[in-house]
Amino acid sequence: MLTELRGYLGQSLFERVAGPDGAANRARIHDTPGPRWFGPDRPIRRVHGDASMFIGGISALLLQSLHPLAMAAVAAHSGYRGDPWGRLQRTSTFLAVTTYGTAEDAQRAVDQVRAIHQRIRGRTAEGLTYHAADPHLLGWVHAAETDSFLRAHQRYGAHPLDAAGCDAYVADTARVAEALGVIDPPRDRRALSRRLSAYRPELRATAEAAAAARFLLLQPPIPLVARPFYAGLAANGVAVLPYWARDLLRLPRLPVVEDVAVRPAGRALTHVIRWAMSP
């Protein structure tokens, strides 16, 4: 029965994250011969293949929402409310292809995303213009994502990176960021921290950001039976945010509760995910 439960849970999680074409995509990504952007020993492969990404992904979405122009583009064009699972599946497939796929397949995925970004333009409620292909906005999305994934991995990953590994992970992600159009992405943790600090004067919690946070944390499209499981992941996604981001989003900081309940739950949940999906 335990084996059956493991298989059912792992397959269910995989289908949710990878979508109906997940098995075919997995075979193409991992089994197609050819050179890769990243060799098997690169930190990006360790981070992006770990269960901590479930927490890092939630944290990244919350952090990215704090840039008004980036959030306006997401709210108007991403369809995250109408098709949240589709958006997750497209994002996870892009991460898998660029991390593990052949160089040709990775470049093709990047070209597709850049073509989509070129078409996404608009104005915020305040009349400010945005363009998804703007290197400055792309730089924010990249920095927020990289920081969130790394924070989550260092706290909940099966094998956290040492200091040199963390710098190497940031350098690995810069390879993808440059291909997407980011100009001079950070290549170590110190540069990443400086880049995030440089964006802080532009950040605030707009009504759209608050709505996205409510959707992610309080109204997720999750079956009732899975809500407690997701709530634990979401609480840890909040817990790994920088303190200033939590303040902007008005998300409470409860150190005792986080130390006693939230973090242990995060470790337990990522352990279960890792156990279920490793086969």
Side-chain angles (χ1 to χ4, degrees), residues 35-96:
R36 264 72 177 164
W37 282 357
F38 307 106
D41 60 333
R42 295 305 303 172
I44 192 171
R45 294 172 68 103
R46 183 194 300 188
V47 174
H48 291 179
D50 190 82
S52 60
M53 288 287 285
F54 282 79
I55 291 172
I58 295 171
S59 188
L61 292 172
L62 291 169
L63 185 56
Q64 289 168 346
S65 75
L66 287 172
H67 197 292
L69 298 183
M71 187 62 233
V74 168
H77 301 278
S78 78
Y80 78 90
R81 283 183 174 275
D83 184 24
W85 290 110
R87 185 170 191 265
L88 171 63
Q89 291 155 10
R90 290 187 293 273
T91 300
S92 67
T93 301
F94 177 83
L95 284 169

Side-chain angles (χ1 to χ4, degrees), residues 58 103 106 116 138 149 176 178 230 233:
I58 295 171
I116 293 170
L138 290 171
F149 290 170
V176 183
E178 279 191 317
Y230 179 83
L233 294 176

Side-chain angles (χ1 to χ4, degrees), residues 3-59:
T3 301
E4 291 178 0
L5 174 63
R6 184 183 195 181
Y8 172 78
L9 181 58
Q11 188 62 29
S12 297
L13 286 168
F14 178 76
E15 289 175 354
R16 280 291 189 180
V17 173
D21 298 325
N25 287 334
R26 179 176 58 191
R28 185 189 81 247
I29 291 167
H30 293 283
D31 298 342
T32 303
R36 264 72 177 164
W37 282 357
F38 307 106
D41 60 333
R42 295 305 303 172
I44 192 171
R45 294 172 68 103
R46 183 194 300 188
V47 174
H48 291 179
D50 190 82
S52 60
M53 288 287 285
F54 282 79
I55 291 172
I58 295 171
S59 188

Side-chain angles (χ1 to χ4, degrees), residues 21 23 32 52-53 72 95 106 141-142 148 156 176 179 193 204 210 231 236 279:
D21 298 325
T32 303
S52 60
M53 288 287 285
L95 284 169
V141 171
H142 166 70
S148 298
Y156 302 108
V176 183
S193 179
R204 57 190 175 86
N236 281 278

Side-chain angles (χ1 to χ4, degrees), residues 2-4 10 13 34 40 50 65 102 105 110 119 129 132 137 158 168 173 197 207 215 222-223 229 238 250 253:
L2 190 61
T3 301
E4 291 178 0
L13 286 168
D50 190 82
S65 75
T102 64
D105 208 8
V110 164
R119 299 194 297 267
T129 60
L137 285 186
T173 64
S197 296
F215 181 77
I222 303 289
F229 180 87
V238 171
R250 298 184 179 180
R253 279 184 280 166

Side-chain angles (χ1 to χ4, degrees), residues 126-231:
E126 299 168 335
L128 299 175
T129 60
Y130 61 78
H131 184 200
D134 177 1
H136 185 69
L137 285 186
L138 290 171
W140 162 250
V141 171
H142 166 70
E145 180 180 272
T146 300
D147 184 70
S148 298
F149 290 170
L150 186 56
R151 282 173 180 265
H153 184 80
Q154 292 305 97
R155 184 173 294 181
Y156 302 108
H159 303 287
L161 301 166
D162 60 15
C166 289
D167 287 342
Y169 172 71
V170 177
D172 285 348
T173 64
R175 168 70 176 87
V176 183
E178 279 191 317
L180 285 168
V182 177
I183 297 173
D184 190 26
R187 287 176 167 78
D188 57 43
R189 275 190 303 177
R190 182 174 296 181
L192 177 60
S193 179
R194 289 197 301 265
R195 189 65 54 88
L196 288 169
S197 296
Y199 276 102
R200 282 184 61 182
E202 304 173 33
L203 308 181
R204 57 190 175 86
T206 61
E208 292 162 323
R214 284 195 300 271
F215 181 77
L216 283 170
L217 302 177
L218 302 177
Q219 303 163 342
I222 303 289
L224 287 176
V225 68
R227 288 289 177 94
F229 180 87
Y230 179 83

